[in-house]
Amino acid sequence: LIVTGDITAVSFRFLFQKRASKQIGHITERQLIFGGRSTIIMSAQIIKCERVSHPPVRFIGKRYTAYPNWNDAWESDLFGNIEKAGPTAEINDGNCYCVLIGFVAGAPEFYLGEFFQANTPVPDGFDHADLPAMEAGLCFIKGKAEDCYGLVFGHPEILAAELEKNGMSMPKGTPPRWVGFERDNCPRWTTPDENGNQILDYAVYLG
């Protein structure tokens, strides 16, 4: 998802095989993994794209080797517990719920949680990742939920083109240590408008 034309089907599957194991609306697992660009029809669109940055930060939450299970977060009150650690970092945009995506030795790594200031104490029972100062291309994607994810997961070339248009570029080749993050804002994402559209924040760390 974070590399451009030279991305392999294998890398794409490693990132999103668990997310794609269930249908997201009308988009099938095969389309998510291999593109299926001629058959995916989406109403989602990128309404804004900007360069953002953060200083060294600490991401606190739960670590997964596949796309996180959000039901686990609700049942364990993950966000309520980690927010006791202290104030979130500016990149978190308040108390947004985030998914941090990375690679370790070629294998995917996901953290479900929030960004905090560097050196924030980690509550017992939670995981953390320390990130250096980084820049990212942040896209705001508007549409029905399944179409927003369809654009992100099925059409990385659309993200790449939008970033290029705004003077940014995705990393190419081997996936970097940190890929990017999904940021679910309240109310942009959590409260659909009168037409049922939501806005998904999706950021790609820049090359």
Side-chain angles (χ1 to χ4, degrees):
L1 181 57
I2 46 72
V3 285
T4 51
D6 56 346
I7 188 169
T8 65
V10 173
S11 294
F12 198 85
R13 174 162 43 182
F14 279 174
L15 259 180
F16 296 112
Q17 59 184 341
K18 296 302 182 182
R19 182 64 164 168
S21 63
K22 297 181 180 178
Q23 286 194 350
I24 301 176
H26 57 278
I27 301 168
T28 66
E29 179 176 5
R30 180 174 178 80
Q31 289 169 330
L32 281 168
I33 294 174
F34 297 106
R37 293 174 175 80
S38 64
T39 57
I40 296 179
I41 300 174
M42 299 177 301
S43 63
Q45 59 180 323
I46 299 173
I47 59 172
K48 184 179 179 181
C49 181
E50 61 186 20
R51 184 186 295 264
V52 297
S53 63
H54 62 67
V57 291
R58 172 166 286 176
F59 194 94
I60 299 175
K62 283 291 187 180
R63 179 184 179 275
Y64 296 81
T65 56
Y67 191 89
N69 184 334
W70 285 84
N71 287 333
D72 290 346
W74 310 139
E75 291 171 2
S76 65
D77 192 21
L78 183 151
F79 297 103
N81 284 306
I82 64 174
E83 286 169 5
K84 298 173 184 176
T88 56
E90 183 177 355
I91 194 66
N92 207 77
D93 194 21
N95 289 335
C96 290
Y97 301 159
C98 303
V99 179
L100 174 66
I101 305 167
F103 274 93
V104 177
E109 181 179 51
F110 301 83
Y111 288 83
L112 177 59
E114 299 181 46
F115 291 94
F116 291 83
Q117 297 173 12
N119 300 315
T120 296
V122 180
D124 291 342
F126 293 95
D127 304 308
H128 76 281
D130 290 325
L131 283 74
M134 300 179 75
E135 288 192 326
L138 176 61
C139 293
F140 297 85
I141 304 167
K142 183 176 182 178
K144 303 295 192 296
E146 64 269 20
D147 289 337
C148 290
Y149 282 118
L151 190 155
V152 170
F153 295 155
H155 289 262
E157 79 283 359
I158 295 178
L159 292 175
E162 189 66 25
L163 291 172
E164 292 284 350
K165 187 170 71 174
N166 286 274
M168 296 173 277
S169 62
M170 289 180 166
K172 296 178 174 65
T174 303
R177 174 65 182 96
W178 297 113
V179 174
F181 56 91
E182 170 188 339
R183 190 174 69 182
D184 296 355
N185 173 275
C186 178
R188 281 197 302 271
W189 179 251
T190 58
T191 306
D193 66 16
E194 63 276 11
N195 297 313
N197 293 319
Q198 300 163 254
I199 298 176
L200 177 67
D201 301 6
Y202 189 80
V204 178
Y205 285 119
L206 300 175

